[in-house]
Amino acid sequence: MIKKGFESIRENKLLMLKADLVVVGGGLAGVCTAIVAARENVKVILVQDRPVLGGNASSEVRLWALGATSSMGNNNRWAREGGLINEILLDNLKRNKDGNPLIFDTVLLEKVYEEKNITLLLNTSVYEVEKSHEKTIKSIKGFCSQNGTTYQLEAPFFCDSSGDGIVAFQAGASFRMGAETPEEFDEGFAPNIEDYGNLLGHSLYFYTKDLGKPVEYIAPSFAIDNAGELPRIRNYRLNEHGCNLWWVEYGGRLDTIHQSEEIKFELWKVVYGIWDYVKNSGKYPDAENLTLEWVGTIPGKRESRRFEGDYMLTQKDIVEQRDHYDRVAFGGWAMDLHPADGIYSDYNSCTQWHTKGIYSIPYRCYYSKDIENLFFAGRIISASHVAFGSSRVMLTCAHGAQAVGKAVALCLKNNWTPRNLAAKDKIGLLQLALNREGQSIPRLQPPDLEDLTTKAEISASSELELSHMNESGEWKPLLFNMAQILPLEAKNSYRFKVKLKAENNTSITIALRTSSKETHFTPDVEIQSKTFNLIEGEQEITFTIDEPITKDSYAYVCFMKNEMVEIMLSDDRFSGIMTVLQKETPAVSNYGKQEPPEGIGVDTFDFWTPEKTPEGKNISMTIEPPIQNFSSINIMNSHVRPTSEGYSNAWLAELNDERPELKISWAEKQKISMLRLFFDCDFDNALPSVFVTHPNSEIPFTVKEYLIYDDNKNLLYEKSDNFQAVNKVVFDEPIVTKELNIVLTKKDVNIPVSVFKISAYSENHL
């Protein structure tokens, strides 16, 4: 037993821990920072003040993680975030395709648990910062309520991904909270603060369940009794729950840090009041058997402090898609601002303005301009209020956090500060390290002089020349304008033959469009348009482009809406090929066309968006001359997805090649310690982390089985259960060979084998 007498005061148990990096905040940004750094042999302490990881994506809040794809409701093609966060999403898809938030908790926890370089402190709140001098953090203190222990954590580098920026705040770093005026950064979308408000509020969700019998509900005394008068109650639909209730929002007029508990309690009042209205007003008779299954206890917080780096992201960076020399991440969610009064506001629940394509985020946004050893990750990065409206979403936060993890490793290795690494003669090291693992920095292809495949000869058993897409027998009515996206070459004029079925004698207009800039996939330039007369019944027509395409580019063969016409589809699917419709996606403020008010600095353009899998089939057509964009030489470039410059960047085998082979050969023997193989994981599929049920647990495009042989036909490596986009193969001992033969197995009868890139290194680059 333990027996202690009276003492005037006692101290908590104190543990002093040292590491190379302390990450504060265990949301997706903090998790990605910690794991990426740990995989570079950085010793990391990850501190999270909650019992689970994931932040707003966790089972405590249950918000789906989204990013540049914007639920496939914008023109950002092949835009899902790459690198570690993509690895996490694919793991979650494999194990949790029904979107259970509890399972997603375990996916994140397992990822952290498996990294031996990470010490995880859950339920630990940081409350004190100690400096070694004015601009350097020495250590921080945190307290774990579950084990009664105080931790003092010391490291040469700190990353604040805590959402409210507790470390950066206590360290004295410059910050902002609330909206700038339109004049400060020439931002036409900056809100009228007095009317619209300064901050975005918190949201709280609930889930319902049908018990198959009548369920009585008696509201708690604190529930509001006027839910039927709420302006946003019109948004409610029976059986709608979880993050579809994002509009149950409040707190933008208050201090979203120090009044967060008050905001939460007001949201409880609203949630239980809404449910009282649903159950007892008589206006929802079908709710008789429903009960509340779950109500959040931690609100999802959108906005508080934003900290200043050496660069501040603004509206023009996003709209103009400016490419900064130090770009390390990208975003693509709409600039999405909410009225501060939230659930009580007469304004629309949000105002979203999209851009024509994805934008890049500079590295200089991810560290403090004041504190020499402090990085930022997550929603607190250096951005204006308007730019924050886009950069705040979780997958964008996680993507940038990966850059922070790599940056820490480079700073440790070279004894640099975060600012040192931002120099123009150094930042390329970070960009290369990120691109090697599939970060896909927009419009950046840094040369990788250590990649042995850049000095090799590449050949394949077959290379797709896309001349036709076979008929499936399925007809699709042209209820919307529909386009087949194809990567066309500058040297050719093209002919496209399609099969149509007309209900009556009518006509159809077909147009070829491209994008005005190589920075986006918006089909805003029409090259040619022709109208064809149709007779009742089935017929084939040929759309001929009379003039050559002037530059390599993705082009859109557009079939304009006619409800009396159907078009033949194909079950064949190809990497870098897809169809889009000019249709609405109201959930992300897409109404077919974006028409902003004059003077706010936002583009007017049409939306052309895909259908979610398993829909979104290609159009059956014959293409003359065949498209030759899928050569094996593509595996030598640095891109691991299709790019808006007009390249698929993928090698595709012929559709009938069941076991295609890639051969990589050198004039002299090479010592190879490590390979990376990059497969197609359908970067156009949004893959929300929770709440959504996905049709497949694996991406159909992704190669599942392959074998690797040396020049003597010795089997070096075998993989039979792959579902990931990036495969890293590390040999126990370096292999010496003049040739690598990679034999891949076709997985789907209608999808050819595809590979984006293969890299080979003489040393094991972590």
Side-chain angles (χ1 to χ4, degrees):
M1 66 171 291
I2 297 174
K3 185 176 181 180
K4 293 279 189 178
F6 171 77
E7 299 176 51
S8 60
I9 194 168
R10 292 193 179 100
E11 298 288 339
N12 293 324
K13 179 181 178 181
L14 175 65
L15 283 181
M16 303 182 69
L17 303 177
K18 291 186 177 182
D20 300 316
L21 169 67
V22 175
V23 179
V24 178
L28 291 186
V31 166
C32 286
T33 301
I35 293 175
V36 168
R39 290 180 179 180
E40 295 282 346
N41 281 333
V42 175
K43 300 297 183 184
V44 181
I45 299 172
L46 175 58
V47 188
Q48 165 71 326
D49 62 358
R50 305 302 310 158
V52 292
L53 297 168
N56 283 346
S58 74
S59 61
E60 287 192 313
V61 179
R62 306 193 179 193
L63 176 62
W64 46 27
L66 289 170
T69 59
S70 192
S71 287
M72 298 165 66
N74 60 17
N75 291 349
N76 297 343
R77 301 283 62 80
W78 295 291
R80 193 174 73 244
E81 292 71 14
L84 172 62
I85 189 58
N86 186 51
E87 175 188 323
I88 289 171
L89 293 176
L90 292 172
D91 271 353
N92 187 57
L93 179 67
K94 177 68 175 177
R95 294 161 53 178
N96 186 30
K97 74 182 186 72
D98 295 312
N100 184 332
L102 296 170
I103 302 301
F104 189 56
D105 284 352
T106 68
V107 170
L108 295 178
L109 184 60
E110 179 183 81
K111 282 289 181 189
V112 170
Y113 174 78
E114 289 180 345
E115 295 298 331
K116 303 308 178 187
N117 285 325
I118 297 178
T119 299
L120 175 62
L121 304 179
L122 293 174
N123 294 306
T124 301
S125 296
V126 171
Y127 65 88
E128 186 177 302
V129 170
E130 181 184 359
K131 290 183 173 181
S132 54
H133 57 77
E134 185 180 41
K135 293 195 173 184
T136 305
I137 300 171
K138 177 183 179 183
S139 65
I140 61 173
K141 281 187 177 180
F143 176 70
C144 178
S145 61
Q146 300 301 297
N147 63 12
T149 300
T150 297
Y151 294 95
Q152 183 166 325
L153 310 175
E154 187 173 325
F157 292 102
F158 294 81
C159 175
D160 193 333
S161 58
S162 64
D164 288 338
I166 181 63
V167 176
F169 175 77
Q170 290 202 340
S174 300
F175 74 93
R176 295 170 178 236
M177 192 168 174
E180 289 82 9
T181 64
E183 293 75 25
E184 182 169 1
F185 297 114
D186 190 18
E187 295 179 307
F189 186 35
N192 180 319
I193 295 173
E194 290 185 5
D195 190 21
Y196 199 78
N198 226 347
L199 293 165
L200 284 68
H202 302 8
S203 283
L204 198 69
Y205 309 139
F206 62 88
Y207 277 61
T208 62
K209 183 177 182 179
D210 190 334
L211 294 187
K213 62 180 181 179
V215 180
E216 183 183 8
Y217 177 72
I218 301 173
S221 61
F222 56 77
I224 63 171
D225 58 7
N226 63 338
E229 300 172 13
L230 294 174
R232 293 189 187 178
I233 197 68
R234 64 182 182 273
N235 292 354
Y236 182 73
R237 301 290 182 271
L238 200 63
N239 293 315
E240 188 173 65
H241 54 226
C243 47
N244 278 337
L245 301 170
W246 59 269
W247 48 269
V248 181
E249 179 180 0
Y250 178 73
R253 296 281 182 193
L254 304 180
D255 182 333
T256 55
I257 298 173
H258 299 106
Q259 291 181 284
S260 201
E261 283 293 288
E262 297 170 44
I263 294 170
K264 177 189 69 177
F265 203 88
E266 184 66 24
L267 285 167
W268 273 340
K269 293 178 182 180
V270 169
V271 165
Y272 289 107
I274 288 174
W275 193 241
D276 183 34
Y277 177 70
V278 169
K279 289 291 289 184
N280 298 319
S281 69
K283 296 189 176 182
Y284 298 89
D286 291 340
E288 184 179 26
N289 292 352
L290 295 182
T291 189
L292 279 178
E293 182 184 28
W294 174 86
V295 175
T297 56
I298 302 294
K301 183 180 292 192
R302 289 183 176 86
E303 183 176 14
S304 56
R305 303 181 183 111
R306 294 168 284 111
F307 289 84
E308 295 185 10
D310 278 343
Y311 188 86
M312 185 170 292
L313 194 72
T314 66
Q315 176 180 330
K316 287 191 172 181
D317 292 307
I318 292 173
V319 174
E320 297 175 8
Q321 299 172 260
R322 295 173 175 173
D323 284 333
H324 300 271
Y325 80 91
D326 60 333
R327 57 194 184 273
V328 292
F330 66 79
W333 188 263
M335 292 177 292
D336 179 5
L337 301 182
H338 299 199
D341 293 314
I343 192 78
Y344 298 114
S345 176
D346 289 322
Y347 282 105
N348 288 336
S349 304
C350 68
T351 302
Q352 297 181 334
W353 296 115
H354 297 262
T355 58
K356 289 185 174 182
I358 61 173
Y359 59 89
S360 64
I361 306 177
Y363 166 69
R364 287 165 292 159
C365 294
Y366 292 100
Y367 62 85
S368 171
K369 71 177 187 178
D370 307 305
I371 309 301
E372 294 181 349
N373 62 339
L374 177 61
F375 289 93
F376 309 137
R379 59 182 169 85
I380 69 170
I381 67 167
S382 185
S384 71
H385 175 74
V386 170
F388 158 88
S390 172
S391 66
R392 66 185 172 84
V393 294
M394 282 187 281
L395 296 187
T396 304
C397 290
H399 196 244
Q402 295 166 182
V404 173
K406 287 285 187 184
V408 171
L410 286 169
C411 288
L412 283 166
K413 178 180 178 181
N414 296 285
N415 195 28
W416 292 338
T417 66
R419 179 174 284 124
N420 292 152
L421 180 54
K424 291 184 178 180
D425 62 342
K426 296 180 176 67
I427 193 63
L429 294 173
L430 176 57
Q431 292 167 327
L432 175 59
L434 291 167
N435 253 29
R436 280 176 170 171
E437 299 194 359
Q439 184 85 346
S440 296
I441 302 167
R443 300 168 289 279
L444 185 71
Q445 189 176 350
D448 191 350
L449 302 180
E450 296 179 62
D451 182 357
L452 300 175
T453 63
T454 62
K455 307 173 183 68
E457 295 289 331
I458 311 294
S459 61
S461 59
S462 67
E463 294 179 347
L464 176 70
E465 295 186 3
L466 186 59
S467 60
H468 65 280
M469 289 183 274
N470 296 305
E471 295 182 10
S472 67
E474 179 182 351
W475 296 93
K476 186 177 185 66
L478 288 173
L479 305 179
F480 306 95
N481 296 339
M482 182 177 184
Q484 181 72 56
I485 305 181
L486 299 168
L488 302 185
E489 296 177 73
K491 62 183 179 182
N492 292 318
S493 176
Y494 286 91
R495 294 175 297 282
F496 306 97
K497 183 185 294 184
V498 297
K499 181 178 284 189
L500 301 173
K501 182 167 63 174
E503 183 179 329
N504 298 299
N505 292 347
T506 185
S507 64
I508 187 170
T509 298
I510 306 176
L512 185 72
R513 297 182 180 180
T514 59
S515 302
S516 57
K517 294 183 179 180
E518 292 185 346
T519 56
H520 61 71
F521 283 97
T522 297
D524 52 0
V525 174
E526 186 168 294
I527 295 176
Q528 191 167 3
S529 176
K530 293 182 179 180
T531 298
F532 298 83
N533 292 322
L534 303 178
I535 60 173
E536 181 180 347
E538 297 181 14
Q539 56 228 276
E540 285 188 336
I541 62 170
T542 300
F543 175 46
T544 302
I545 307 303
D546 299 323
E547 298 293 332
I549 308 295
T550 58
K551 63 179 181 180
D552 293 353
S553 62
Y554 266 100
Y556 301 72
V557 184
C558 304
F559 299 84
M560 311 314 286
K561 172 183 175 180
N562 186 332
E563 296 181 4
M564 293 191 296
V565 177
E566 296 177 87
I567 193 165
M568 176 62 72
L569 299 182
S570 175
D571 287 330
D572 297 341
R573 295 180 185 264
F574 304 90
S575 298
I577 301 291
M578 67 184 310
T579 56
V580 289
L581 302 172
Q582 192 181 0
K583 61 179 178 62
E584 298 183 0
T585 312
V588 291
S589 297
N590 165 357
Y591 299 99
K593 185 180 184 70
Q594 176 168 285
E595 298 180 283
E598 289 188 14
I600 70 166
V602 177
D603 293 323
T604 296
F605 61 90
D606 295 334
F607 289 101
W608 292 77
T609 59
E611 293 178 292
K612 295 183 179 180
T613 305
E615 303 300 322
K617 295 184 178 182
N618 289 315
I619 296 170
S620 174
M621 63 170 57
T622 300
I623 305 165
E624 298 177 355
I627 296 172
Q628 297 175 315
N629 199 283
F630 310 103
S631 167
S632 58
I633 201 73
N634 287 342
I635 72 165
M636 296 177 68
N637 73 39
S638 296
H639 294 299
V640 293
R641 65 179 71 204
T643 49
S644 53
E645 292 94 329
Y647 305 107
S648 71
N649 296 308
W651 163 65
L652 271 68
E654 288 284 1
L655 190 57
N656 61 0
D657 194 342
E658 297 293 331
R659 284 177 62 82
E661 297 184 28
L662 265 176
K663 181 185 292 185
I664 305 172
S665 55
W666 294 269
E668 300 178 352
K669 287 186 178 292
Q670 305 291 317
K671 184 179 75 170
I672 301 172
S673 296
M674 186 188 78
L675 299 172
R676 281 198 185 95
L677 298 89
F678 296 83
F679 299 115
D680 187 358
C681 62
D682 190 5
F683 278 112
D684 214 82
N685 192 339
L687 294 189
S689 53
V690 299
F691 195 67
V692 172
T693 295
H694 301 283
N696 303 301
S697 61
E698 299 179 9
I699 300 298
F701 290 98
T702 307
V703 170
K704 189 179 183 73
E705 300 177 3
Y706 61 92
L707 305 166
I708 302 176
Y709 297 92
D710 67 9
D711 51 4
N712 291 316
K713 309 301 181 186
N714 296 312
L715 180 63
L716 303 176
Y717 184 78
E718 178 178 4
K719 186 73 171 179
S720 61
D721 58 353
N722 178 55
F723 57 89
Q724 278 290 346
V726 184
N727 281 206
K728 180 179 173 183
V729 179
V730 179
F731 300 109
D732 293 335
E733 296 291 336
I735 58 117
V736 178
T737 184
K738 293 178 64 176
E739 187 175 283
L740 291 174
N741 283 284
I742 303 162
V743 181
L744 308 105
T745 302
K746 184 177 167 68
K747 183 165 69 172
D748 189 297
V749 65
N750 296 113
I751 302 176
V753 165
S754 62
V755 178
F756 276 115
K757 181 171 178 57
I758 299 175
S759 299
Y761 298 97
S762 60
E763 296 182 7
N764 178 8
H765 292 283
L766 291 171

